[in-house]
Amino acid sequence: YHSPGMGFVTNTEGGTAETLFLIDAKTKPTPYTRTCIELGRLNLGGMKVTTVGEVLEDVRKHWVIFSELTGTGKGELYALFSGLDLNKSPLFVLRLNKETGKKLKRWDLPKPKGQLRGTAVAHWGRRIFVFVSTTSTNQVVTLDLETGKSSVLLPSTPYQVEGAGVSTCAPWVIK
């Protein structure tokens, strides 16, 4: 894991124990050279990464090379994926199985045009917030996890966000 996206997620819904997950592109030489997106977990005691599994088996099929993670206090893990050229590549979020890395659900997101400059993803109150910076704009997209609907929250902002952290104690329900 050379330049991973990272995110903490609670081990159980409402629990206090949490795990730091990493996600990154890896080149696999056999049976043919391909690049996959791999999920791992970091043992903070020994600083050793254990591979959980492949999230996307071949990034060329998806035009994806960048990924970020966010977790929730509900014990759910979400990953943001994008390619370098958003004119051609998708922008989407996956809910991942923490034990296998496999996709549980996918949401495609609205995206700005241009070459990617940075991304970030964070969870807060049943929503995923996606920060996307391109050569043409910086925008914020929100994904409602209950309805599955996404929308552009801020179509243009002067701030380029690269990496966002949110605590696993962030509320799932805002009262």
Side-chain angles (χ1 to χ4, degrees):
Y1 295 83
H2 299 299
S3 58
M6 295 183 266
F8 278 100
V9 62
T10 56
N11 297 340
T12 59
E13 182 174 350
T16 56
E18 57 189 8
T19 299
L20 178 59
F21 285 89
L22 311 172
I23 194 163
D24 202 1
K26 296 285 211 170
T27 300
K28 304 283 186 170
T30 56
Y32 59 94
T33 301
R34 65 189 174 91
T35 302
C36 70
I37 301 290
E38 200 169 77
L39 180 69
R41 67 170 58 91
L42 179 64
N43 176 323
L44 294 173
M47 298 305 287
K48 181 173 172 22
V49 177
T50 303
T51 298
V52 172
E54 290 183 9
V55 177
L56 296 175
E57 70 283 351
D58 190 342
V59 297
R60 290 176 291 197
K61 291 181 186 176
H62 305 277
W63 289 85
V64 169
I65 55 173
F66 298 106
S67 49
E68 296 287 343
L69 293 172
T70 191
T72 71
K74 202 171 175 189
E76 298 171 342
L77 182 63
Y78 295 89
L80 168 68
F81 295 94
S82 62
L84 183 59
D85 185 350
L86 288 180
N87 298 315
K88 297 177 184 175
S89 64
L91 180 69
F92 61 97
V93 169
L94 295 181
R95 180 170 171 218
L96 300 177
N97 179 308
K98 297 182 297 186
E99 301 306 316
T100 65
K102 297 298 181 199
K103 169 184 84 170
L104 297 173
K105 190 159 185 166
R106 177 180 168 143
W107 298 271
D108 289 299
L109 304 176
K111 60 186 178 166
K113 300 288 184 200
Q115 299 290 312
L116 192 71
R117 293 172 60 202
T119 59
V121 62
H123 159 265
W124 185 264
R126 295 186 184 147
R127 292 199 174 163
I128 298 288
F129 292 88
V130 174
F131 305 86
V132 183
S133 295
T134 68
T135 49
S136 60
T137 191
N138 303 310
Q139 78 176 26
V140 181
V141 175
T142 184
L143 168 64
D144 185 309
L145 294 171
E146 289 193 332
T147 66
K149 294 184 191 251
S150 60
S151 61
V152 177
L153 183 64
L154 296 172
S156 182
T157 174
Y159 306 106
Q160 179 178 338
V161 178
E162 291 188 39
V166 65
S167 172
T168 56
C169 66
W172 179 252
V173 177
I174 297 177
K175 295 180 183 183

